[in-house]
Amino acid sequence: MPMKNSLLLLTLLLRLLPGSSTALMAQKPPPPNVLMICVDDLNDYIGGMGHPDAITPNMDRLIRRGVLFTNAQCQSPLCGPSRAAIMTGLRPSTTGIYGLLKDNAVKNSNEATRNNIFLHQYFKDKGYYTMGIGKIFHESTPDGLLDENGGREKGIVGPFPPQKMNYLLGRTDSDWGAFPENDEQMPDYRTAQWAIERLNRKYDHPFFLTVGFFRPHVPWHVPQKWFDLYDPEKLHKPPYSPADMEDLPPIALQIESSFMPSAEWAIANNQWSKALQGYLACISFVDHYIGEVLKALEAGPHARNTIVVLWSDHGYRMGEKNRFAKQHLWERATKAPLIFAGPGIPKNTKISTPVELFSVYPTLTDLCGLPPNPNLEARSIHPLLKNPKMNWDHPAITTWGRNNHGIRSRQYHYIHYEDGSEELYVIRDDPNEWKNVAAEPKYAGVKESLKQFLPQTNAAWSPGNQYDGVPYFKKQRLDGSE
């Protein structure tokens, strides 16, 4: 054999020997990128989650590509505190973030947040290039957190028509109707274009790209073509019982967002189906632009090595419990979509086990092979991604204001208020939560077993953090909580 060929063969054999640097490099894949998509105020009105009317082909396709958690519970049924929990991995009861807080104030909310590392900073410290646009924290992101920040457009809740179209009461942005004329006039359109351009770039480091879409947050305004997808007369109204509030403790009504549209108003004014049409139109609109971002990923240079996670910050009541709103501890307000897809993640899998939305933080660090952040309260659900059928005995906890908590187990939803009042629902028999069985003696043991999961820390409302949409919470702060 010629000397040149012998040397070539020897070199190839050395490269394949165990322990050689080349062999180790070949065995260890590069760290995965992360594409995180946040959708504001999206409940389970998704075709892939079983909704009979929703036209959501892109989220449905993402569900088929990965794992859908059908019972993911938010840590607060309001965007600001829910997102703060996801970005810190800490509970509202620990951070004192129960209401709305400026992004730059989150870090100094209290001692717990000062000792915390935000999700994006953790990845940045581990060598990731971080980018984001749109609504990520309550507004955008704290100053300097991202390597590249597309920001959040001023007035992103709009655009607004010259005057309100259907809901004229109160001080809420709640309204519905076709507006404006073109998708290009919507902030979410520009958010998608910004993200698409970044997905077509090449990077020297793994990236973490966050895309925060605003719709279907109120007002439910999108161009006419999205409304035309739905005939309001053929839409399925959610289950509703006018009597289902009669067995609730007084505090449950005191912490309700009473300024939002009521089911009684919608019935009296023949607006329920029109409101559903508006909400679904906004969902189909945002689904389209989620799809545009996902198509750019799939057609670009990062298709094979990017983990996708899509979540919404909480659920939304479309008339259930007599309100078109989020803001409460009942399940229609607390349950939100959570989807993971990408390398190493099972496909076309649905998990009904209750999990917590703020588990996104530790789950992503596990999926990316990063060392865990030991200062988080959030528990990684990576074990469930590896074994969807495993036994998971960790109830999901939601907090609404100080010392009001919901505990969701597989069978029960237990709500405990700061004055000691209770609600308990047997979900299998009562999925609509119409019958509060907390006072029935036979459930005393169930309540005691669930009480052990109530947070032991109930931090004071952090400075500057408020939600005056509920007068009870203003009193809660003034009574020495702040």
Side-chain angles (χ1 to χ4, degrees):
M1 180 182 293
M3 179 66 70
K4 183 177 180 181
N5 289 344
S6 298
L7 289 172
L8 178 62
L9 179 60
L10 180 61
T11 301
L12 290 171
L13 288 172
L14 287 171
R15 287 180 177 179
L16 293 174
L17 283 174
S20 71
S21 60
T22 306
L24 287 173
M25 289 175 64
Q27 292 171 12
K28 186 176 181 180
N33 307 303
V34 176
L35 171 60
M36 186 164 76
I37 300 174
C38 328
V39 190
D40 209 354
D41 282 17
L42 175 64
N43 62 17
D44 58 3
Y45 280 25
I46 299 172
M49 292 189 77
H51 193 271
D53 303 318
I55 301 171
T56 53
N58 297 292
M59 285 188 279
D60 296 351
R61 187 163 57 92
L62 182 63
I63 289 170
R64 292 193 295 271
R65 285 183 48 211
V67 174
L68 165 70
F69 289 90
T70 62
N71 198 1
Q73 300 281 328
C74 67
Q75 275 45 75
S76 176
L78 184 68
C79 51
S82 174
R83 290 165 183 263
I86 291 169
M87 301 307 168
T88 62
L90 301 175
R91 299 189 183 281
S93 52
T94 298
T95 66
I97 303 175
Y98 304 112
L100 304 180
L101 189 65
K102 295 290 185 182
D103 294 347
N104 286 332
V106 172
K107 184 65 176 176
N108 291 313
S109 181
N110 64 14
E111 192 65 23
T113 56
R114 282 190 286 273
N115 294 328
N116 178 262
I117 301 175
F118 290 144
L119 167 62
H120 294 88
Q121 186 66 51
Y122 196 79
F123 273 79
K124 192 175 180 179
D125 292 345
K126 303 302 180 186
Y128 274 71
Y129 182 70
T130 56
M131 302 172 283
I133 187 170
K135 186 171 180 180
I136 300 173
F137 281 63
H138 175 56
E139 295 166 325
S140 174
T141 57
D143 293 343
L145 178 62
L146 301 177
D147 292 307
E148 192 173 351
N149 189 357
R152 168 181 162 175
E153 292 186 29
K154 187 177 181 180
I156 197 171
V157 294
F160 291 98
Q163 59 187 25
K164 295 188 79 172
M165 293 181 172
N166 286 293
Y167 190 69
L168 311 179
L169 305 176
R171 55 184 184 79
T172 171
D173 288 328
S174 298
D175 195 21
W176 44 92
F179 183 85
E181 291 186 4
N182 303 306
D183 286 6
E184 291 78 5
Q185 296 169 270
M186 301 291 294
D188 282 343
Y189 169 86
R190 292 183 286 277
T191 290
Q193 305 314 308
W194 191 94
I196 288 167
E197 195 278 328
R198 270 70 188 171
L199 288 169
N200 285 315
R201 292 181 184 175
K202 293 185 178 180
Y203 299 90
D204 295 330
H205 302 279
F207 66 77
F208 191 123
L209 171 61
T210 306
V211 186
F213 288 108
F214 197 77
R215 288 294 181 267
H217 193 286
V218 295
W220 298 326
H221 293 319
V222 284
Q224 183 67 51
K225 65 180 181 180
W226 302 106
F227 277 78
D228 290 343
L229 293 175
Y230 299 98
D231 180 349
E233 299 306 316
K234 295 181 180 179
L235 297 178
H236 293 75
K237 292 186 180 71
Y240 168 67
S241 170
D244 85 338
M245 310 290 278
E246 295 176 359
D247 57 2
L248 301 182
I251 191 174
L253 303 181
Q254 292 168 8
I255 66 172
E256 169 69 299
S257 49
S258 58
F259 62 96
M260 301 295 282
S262 69
E264 294 169 347
W265 175 89
I267 293 168
N269 291 274
N270 194 30
Q271 286 287 333
W272 201 325
S273 294
K274 294 176 183 177
L276 285 170
Q277 181 190 28
Y279 187 63
L280 285 164
C282 289
I283 291 173
S284 290
F285 163 82
V286 79
D287 177 80
H288 174 78
Y289 287 102
I290 290 169
E292 293 295 290
V293 171
L294 293 175
K295 287 173 188 174
L297 172 64
E298 293 159 8
H302 311 291
R304 296 186 177 182
N305 195 37
T306 299
I307 291 166
V308 179
V309 56
L310 182 150
W311 51 264
S312 177
D313 41 12
H314 43 66
Y316 208 90
R317 295 180 279 154
M318 292 302 296
E320 300 96 332
K321 297 291 182 184
N322 195 33
R323 199 68 59 187
F324 291 79
K326 38 201 173 187
Q327 303 117 326
H328 219 291
L329 292 169
W330 302 307
E331 182 144 305
R332 293 306 302 158
T334 63
K335 187 166 70 172
L338 176 60
I339 308 167
F340 286 90
I345 295 173
K347 298 182 185 299
N348 201 26
T349 300
K350 296 182 180 181
I351 299 176
S352 61
T353 302
V355 297
E356 298 180 301
L357 275 179
F358 79 153
S359 295
V360 164
Y361 187 158
T363 304
L364 284 177
T365 61
D366 283 352
L367 286 170
C368 293
L370 302 180
N373 181 344
N375 296 320
L376 305 184
E377 291 180 295
R379 185 188 305 273
S380 172
I381 52 176
H382 187 226
L384 277 168
L385 290 174
K386 292 192 295 185
N387 179 11
K389 295 183 179 180
M390 74 174 293
N391 187 30
W392 186 261
D393 292 325
H394 308 290
I397 304 169
T398 303
T399 298
W400 181 224
R402 191 185 190 197
N403 208 7
N404 303 306
H405 308 290
I407 311 294
R408 179 63 160 90
S409 68
R410 285 179 179 270
Q411 294 179 282
Y412 301 101
H413 190 188
Y414 173 64
I415 298 174
H416 186 277
Y417 296 100
E418 71 161 340
D419 66 353
S421 298
E422 298 172 305
E423 296 176 49
L424 180 68
Y425 301 99
V426 184
I427 297 300
R428 182 186 61 187
D429 301 329
D430 182 23
N432 299 309
E433 299 184 327
W434 284 347
K435 185 179 180 182
N436 176 16
V437 299
E440 296 186 19
K442 67 178 180 179
Y443 293 109
V446 171
K447 290 191 300 180
E448 287 304 311
S449 66
L450 293 174
K451 278 182 182 179
Q452 66 179 307
F453 297 103
L454 292 170
Q456 297 304 299
T457 297
N458 287 278
W461 285 73
S462 61
N465 163 37
Q466 61 184 6
Y467 189 62
D468 290 339
V470 174
Y472 184 94
F473 292 157
K474 184 175 182 179
K475 181 179 183 299
Q476 203 181 52
R477 297 198 312 278
L478 294 175
D479 285 349
S481 298
E482 187 174 57

